[in-house]
Amino acid sequence: MADDPNLKHVDSWFVSSQPHEYYYFKSTMKGEFPSKTDDEVTQAILACRKAIAPSEGREKLKECVRRRLGGF
């Protein structure tokens, strides 16, 4: 399920361990960091998935991946 278009709540249905969510999330992160290789993005996501529970939400995972890839 996609994020709420009105941004009234955090997407509570996002679970990073589901394959379709993972692939969509990975392509989103690759789009934000086009200079990073596919392996670098994958490693950052996997490291963050170890630190953050799969059900904690997309935004928390995004923040972690961005920090690991040096964007924020």
Side-chain angles (χ1 to χ4, degrees), residues 19-43:
H20 66 280
E21 293 282 15
Y22 170 77
Y23 292 120
Y24 176 77
F25 183 77
K26 182 178 175 183
S27 68
T28 301
M29 290 290 97
K30 183 67 178 147
E32 283 190 36
F33 297 96
S35 63
K36 299 293 184 182
T37 66
D38 195 50
D39 287 341
E40 289 174 318
V41 174
T42 299
Q43 291 302 316

Side-chain angles (χ1 to χ4, degrees), residues 54-68:
S55 60
E56 287 191 58
R58 183 178 289 132
E59 289 305 313
K60 196 167 187 179
L61 187 62
K62 268 187 192 178
E63 290 174 18
C64 179
V65 172
R66 284 176 177 152
R67 279 194 308 272
R68 285 196 157 275

